[in-house]
């Protein structure tokens, strides 16, 4: 008898257990089903407009792929041609030079501004908003605003510089290589300082006040405080802002299209401009694919650095 | 620290800020003032810092040119921006909810797969993307532009919404589910009223990106039927009205107004969005 009841109990438990399991499985299934339904639109968009083009870019780069007619597998030929293509190297070089000029032009004022407005004064919000205002503009608008300022015959800048006796005759800013690079960089600095300032400011405000108070008690001077407290604590934020800014400069397109058209000659043509030229005006899709792949890896290096810093700060 | 803020220091602080603010605002002033000068005064040298005559004539010319094609550009931009914002909001709310509340095996993989877009510069994918859009027969349409913007700015929304949903306690959802509500009802009736700051940040971020885009519109449109205001402005400046600087300045002012208004009205969300967009 005892054995029978025990068996019976066991059986009953089994039924209950399996029933629970079934409910759990059903619940899980429903869970999975709804979440997949919720995720489907995002996955569809990503697959069609991101992953397919991504795979295609790689595939194209191995083909002699014309807009019309047959495409032919040619292995690494596109990449080999690319390495021997002076226009590619020139575009890459132009982009690197531009980045080297514009980065300090953004960061030096941005650091100054971030430190300047990192305190509580009446009206600080208004100044912060004003420094941020150009960030809201498109590159096209900002470029036209400054093309007009830099205009050689009617430009206000030449006029002001002449009035101040800094120059004796108008400078054709956008018509020679180095002054064009400088002019575009100045425009970009004006347009993006506000954003860099804001990122740095967020970092500064993350430094607890108590650290500064302790330093003040120990009699640290203004420079000592910034040298030994602010600078080390700000390093990750600074690196992050720097990588973002450099990545942005590497993608430069709009500003040069509007302000210089890549000129004079090809001296301000950037990588993305060259990519657009090869893909959409020469219709050499395979070659454009090769440029794309190289460009992609270049920026992937930058964003993986960014991820590592991000993890580091957490 | 506080007793160090002496009067002299305060004056120096304000003076520095005022000088800097003038420098930052000067290009806005110069553009605006030149859009109000009569045609003859715009090209006067030496330039007039304060206009002798003010007129809205340039704006009239801008909107009447080519049978009102500039309004068409502005309309295209508006429609494309609204469509992109709506798509991103719906898709990223659904996805963000699923990613934060409906856990199952492999969900992290999906999250990474969705956010991988942020790692890749879309400029590198323009050529194959062109083929995809072309195979759908969508070249030179507004819908194509908004599909592209949706895809490439959606990760920002998903990230934003996932974080917003994660901040809400699990018990809220469970009690609603126990009372027999479906997941969709829970999402719309209980969660959306709580996560709207995240949603608003997403709306502003996507609106700014879509409105300000240049390269996508340049490549994927070929006529005024879909061309946006950014490419339209360049079209005016480099072809239709070459060197007509009054016109270009007026076009720039019209172009910048919508986003400037968004910024002035919703500064806090705007800045939050720009920071999140930059840092993630």
């Amino acid at each position: 008898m005892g054995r029978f009841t025990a068996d019976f109990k066991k059986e009953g438990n089994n039924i209950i257990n399996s029933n629970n399991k079934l409910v759990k499985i059903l619940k899980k299934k429903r869970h999975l089903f709804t979440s997949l339904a919720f995720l489907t639109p995002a996955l569809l968009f990503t697959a069609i407009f991101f992953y397919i083009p991504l795979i295609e870019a790689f595939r194209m780069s191995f083909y002699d792929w014309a807009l019309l007619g047959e495409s032919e597998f040619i292995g690494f030929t596109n990449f080999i041609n690319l390495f021997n293509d002076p226009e590619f190297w020139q575009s890459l070089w132009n982009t690197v030079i531009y980045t080297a000029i514009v980065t300090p032009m953004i960061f030096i004022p941005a650091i100054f501004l971030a430190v300047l407005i990192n305190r509580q004064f009446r009206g600080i919000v208004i100044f912060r908003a004003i420094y941020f205002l150009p960030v809201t503009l498109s590159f096209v608008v900002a470029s036209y605003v400054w093309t007009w300022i830099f205009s050689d015959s009617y430009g206000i800048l030449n006029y002001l510089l002449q009035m101040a006796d800094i120059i004796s005759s108008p400078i054709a800013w956008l018509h020679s290589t180095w002054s064009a690079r400088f002019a575009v960089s100045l425009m970009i600095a004006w347009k993006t300082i506000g954003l860099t300032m804001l990122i740095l400011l967020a970092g500064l405000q993350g430094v607890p006040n108590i650290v500064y108070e302790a330093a003040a008690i120990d009699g640290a001077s203004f420079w000592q405080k910034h040298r030994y407290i602010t600078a080390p604590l700000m390093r990750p934020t600074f690196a992050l802002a720097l990588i973002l800014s450099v990545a942005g400069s590497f993608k430069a397109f709009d500003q040069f299209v509007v302000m210089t058209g890549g000129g004079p000659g090809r001296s301000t043509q950037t990588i993305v401009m060259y990519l657009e030229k090869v893909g959409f005006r020469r219709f050499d899709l395979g070659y454009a694919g090769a440029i794309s792949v190289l460009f992609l890896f270049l920026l992937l290096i930058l964003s993986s650095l960014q991820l590592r810093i991000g993890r580091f700060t957490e | 620290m506080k007793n160090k803020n002496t009067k002299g220091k305060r004056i120096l602080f304000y003076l520095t800020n005022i000088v800097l603010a003038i420098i930052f605002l000067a290009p806005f002033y110069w553009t605006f003032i030149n859009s109000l000068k009569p045609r003859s005064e715009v090209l006067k040298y030496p330039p007039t810092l304060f206009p002798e005559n003010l007129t809205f004539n340039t704006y009239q010319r801008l909107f009447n040119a080519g049978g009102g094609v500039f309004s068409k550009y502005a309309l295209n931009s508006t429609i494309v921006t609204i469509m992109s914002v709506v798509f991103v909001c719906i898709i990223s709310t659904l996805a963000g909810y699923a990613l934060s509340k409906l856990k199952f095996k492999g969900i992290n993989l999906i999250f990474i797969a969705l956010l991988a877009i942020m790692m890749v510069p879309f400029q590198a994918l323009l050529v194959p993307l062109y083929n995809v859009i072309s195979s759908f027969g969508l070249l030179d349409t507004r819908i194509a532009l908004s599909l592209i913007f949706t895809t490439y700015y959606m990760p920002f929304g998903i990230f934003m919404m996932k974080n917003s949903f994660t901040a809400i306690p699990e018990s809220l959802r469970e009690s609603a589910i126990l009372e027999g509500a479906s997941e969709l009802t829970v999402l719309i009736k209980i969660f959306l009223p709580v996560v709207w700051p995240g949603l608003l940040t997403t709306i502003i971020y996507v609106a700014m990106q879509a409105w300000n885009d240049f390269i996508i519109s340049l490549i994927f449109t070929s006529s005024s039927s879909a061309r946006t205001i950014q490419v339209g402005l360049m079209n005016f400046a480099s072809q239709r009205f070459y060197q007509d600087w009054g016109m270009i300045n007026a076009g720039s002012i019209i172009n910048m107004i919508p986003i400037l208004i968004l910024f002035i009205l919703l500064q806090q969300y705007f800045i939050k969005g720009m920071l999140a967009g930059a840092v993630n």
Side-chain angles (χ1 to χ4, degrees):
Chain A
M1 268 302 265
R3 211 179 134 209
F4 179 76
T5 27
D7 272 359
F8 187 74
K9 238 183 179 170
K10 210 171 153 196
E11 192 88 336
N13 274 343
N14 275 345
I15 290 171
I16 292 167
N17 273 345
S18 61
N19 211 6
N20 263 346
K21 240 183 214 163
L22 196 70
V23 169
K24 258 188 190 162
I25 289 170
L26 279 177
K27 233 180 156 180
K28 246 187 187 167
K29 271 255 168 78
R30 191 189 123 180
H31 230 119
L32 191 71
F33 183 76
T34 0
S35 44
L36 282 183
F38 280 16
L39 284 166
T40 303
L43 287 170
L44 264 178
F45 268 81
T46 314
I48 297 171
F49 300 109
F50 176 66
Y51 282 105
I52 291 178
L54 187 65
I55 295 163
E56 279 293 289
F58 279 89
R59 206 164 69 90
M60 271 177 173
S61 66
F62 295 107
Y63 280 81
D64 179 12
W65 194 315
L67 194 63
L68 300 166
E70 297 287 298
S71 48
E72 187 193 343
F73 184 80
I74 51 168
F76 283 96
T77 312
N78 282 327
F79 289 97
I80 294 163
N81 290 341
L82 196 58
F83 280 103
N84 294 316
D85 176 358
E87 192 172 354
F88 170 71
W89 287 110
Q90 196 191 351
S91 308
L92 186 63
W93 179 235
N94 291 338
T95 313
V96 170
I97 290 183
Y98 161 68
T99 306
I101 298 172
V102 78
T103 308
M105 282 173 76
I106 296 169
F107 270 77
I108 295 168
I111 294 167
F112 176 77
L113 281 179
V115 174
L116 182 73
I117 66 170
N118 182 30
R119 62 192 83 189
Q120 272 151 2
F121 267 108
R122 195 185 281 266
I124 199 76
V125 185
I126 295 168
F127 289 117
R128 192 186 67 182
I130 289 173
Y131 304 142
F132 191 79
L133 218 50
V135 178
T136 66
L137 303 185
S138 70
F139 282 97
V140 174
V141 166
S143 299
Y144 278 119
V145 166
W146 282 83
T147 306
W148 174 232
I149 291 172
F150 280 116
S151 160
D152 35 337
S153 27
Y154 314 109
I156 183 84
L157 187 71
N158 274 335
Y159 171 73
L160 291 176
L161 288 177
Q162 275 176 304
M163 285 296 283
D165 262 337
I166 296 171
I167 56 171
S168 53
S169 58
I171 296 176
W173 292 99
L174 297 171
H175 297 285
S176 73
T177 308
W178 282 98
S179 62
R181 282 173 181 155
F182 170 77
V184 173
S185 301
L186 190 67
M187 181 281 281
I188 291 293
W190 173 74
K191 189 192 167 332
T192 54
I193 280 171
L195 185 60
T196 307
M197 172 199 79
L198 217 64
I199 297 171
L200 296 178
L201 191 66
L204 279 176
Q205 286 170 348
V207 180
N209 233 338
I210 197 154
V211 183
Y212 289 117
E213 277 159 23
I217 290 167
D218 287 342
S221 73
F222 178 83
W223 285 115
Q224 277 174 327
K225 266 191 294 191
H226 287 295
R227 168 74 184 77
Y228 295 105
I229 300 172
T230 319
L233 284 174
M234 280 291 286
R235 204 166 289 148
T237 312
F238 191 81
L240 199 70
L242 195 67
I243 290 169
L244 282 165
S245 176
V246 168
S249 309
F250 263 83
K251 295 181 208 159
F253 178 81
D254 310 10
Q255 59 267 48
F256 283 102
V257 169
V258 171
M259 288 181 80
T260 69
R266 296 195 296 240
S267 63
T268 58
Q269 177 178 286
T270 62
I271 309 178
V272 179
M273 283 170 92
Y274 186 45
L275 175 60
E276 190 260 353
K277 191 183 193 177
V278 172
F280 297 101
R281 277 178 282 158
R282 288 192 199 150
F283 304 112
D284 192 345
L285 305 191
Y287 201 52
I291 301 173
S292 300
V293 168
L294 237 68
F295 180 62
L296 208 145
F297 275 113
L298 212 66
L299 276 136
L300 224 53
I301 294 170
L302 280 173
S303 43
S304 63
L305 274 176
Q306 182 191 337
L307 273 189
R308 279 180 69 176
I309 291 167
R311 206 166 294 154
F312 185 69
T313 42
E314 274 164 25
Chain B
M1 292 282 274
K2 254 181 195 156
N3 52 2
K4 270 184 145 185
N5 290 333
T6 55
K7 207 170 184 186
K9 222 178 156 187
R10 197 177 304 151
I11 290 172
L12 186 71
F13 172 79
Y14 279 116
L15 224 60
T16 319
N17 271 306
I18 288 166
V19 169
L20 287 169
I22 290 171
I23 295 172
F24 269 81
L25 289 176
F28 286 100
Y29 169 78
W30 189 235
T31 307
F32 183 60
I33 223 67
N34 273 290
S35 74
L36 294 176
K37 285 179 187 174
R39 211 170 177 172
S40 54
E41 202 184 325
V42 173
L43 295 186
K44 209 167 158 188
Y45 198 87
T48 45
L49 285 176
F50 305 98
E52 291 152 359
N53 302 292
L54 288 175
T55 167
F56 279 102
N57 193 7
T58 317
Y59 286 93
Q60 244 171 28
R61 282 200 300 129
L62 179 75
F63 283 109
N64 289 333
V69 73
F70 197 79
S71 335
K72 178 80 171 125
Y73 297 147
L75 180 73
N76 288 339
S77 271
T78 311
I79 292 174
V80 167
T81 303
I82 291 174
M83 280 201 289
S84 312
V85 166
V86 170
F87 289 160
V88 170
C89 281
I90 295 172
I91 295 173
S92 57
T93 303
L94 289 173
Y97 181 71
L99 288 168
S100 79
K101 292 293 172 206
L102 310 170
K103 296 268 160 58
F104 59 89
K105 238 187 204 169
I107 196 146
N108 274 330
L109 213 68
I110 291 182
F111 186 51
I112 291 167
L114 288 175
L115 260 63
I117 300 181
M118 284 172 140
M119 299 276 289
V120 176
F122 69 84
Q123 290 89 341
L125 304 180
L126 288 173
V127 176
L129 194 56
Y130 188 87
N131 293 344
V132 171
I133 296 291
S134 152
S135 69
F136 284 125
L138 290 176
L139 286 176
D140 201 21
T141 61
R142 293 182 290 226
I143 188 85
L145 299 182
S146 42
L147 290 176
I148 297 170
F149 295 143
T150 302
T151 309
Y152 286 89
Y153 298 115
M154 181 180 70
F156 175 89
I158 293 176
F159 193 86
M160 211 69 209
M161 295 316 288
K162 179 182 183 270
N163 284 349
S164 307
F165 283 122
T166 308
I168 301 171
E170 186 66 20
S171 54
L172 210 64
R173 170 170 162 268
E174 270 164 12
S175 58
I177 296 268
L178 276 179
E179 280 167 27
S182 75
E183 292 289 357
L184 205 62
T185 327
V186 175
L187 174 61
I188 293 170
K189 292 232 164 117
I190 300 176
F191 281 3
L192 273 187
V194 185
V195 298
W196 66 266
L199 203 58
L200 193 57
T201 309
T202 306
I203 290 171
I204 292 170
Y205 183 79
V206 176
M208 179 187 157
Q209 299 296 345
W211 182 271
N212 283 349
D213 162 81
F214 173 67
I215 191 168
I216 298 286
S217 166
L218 181 74
I219 286 170
F220 291 89
T221 67
S222 49
S223 73
S224 57
S225 65
R227 186 173 288 151
T228 65
I229 196 165
Q230 307 299 337
V231 179
L233 183 65
M234 189 180 81
N235 195 23
F236 264 47
S238 59
Q239 289 163 19
R240 283 174 196 260
F241 302 99
Y242 182 67
Q243 291 282 329
D244 186 342
W245 278 100
M247 196 89 125
I248 300 168
N249 282 317
S252 298
I253 292 290
I254 297 294
N255 190 324
M256 65 173 83
I257 280 176
I259 306 295
L260 273 182
I261 290 176
L262 264 189
F263 175 65
I264 290 163
L265 292 181
L266 300 161
Q267 212 195 111
Q268 186 194 344
Y269 299 98
F270 204 105
I271 285 178
K272 200 172 136 202
M274 287 307 288
L275 267 180
V279 176
N280 290 311

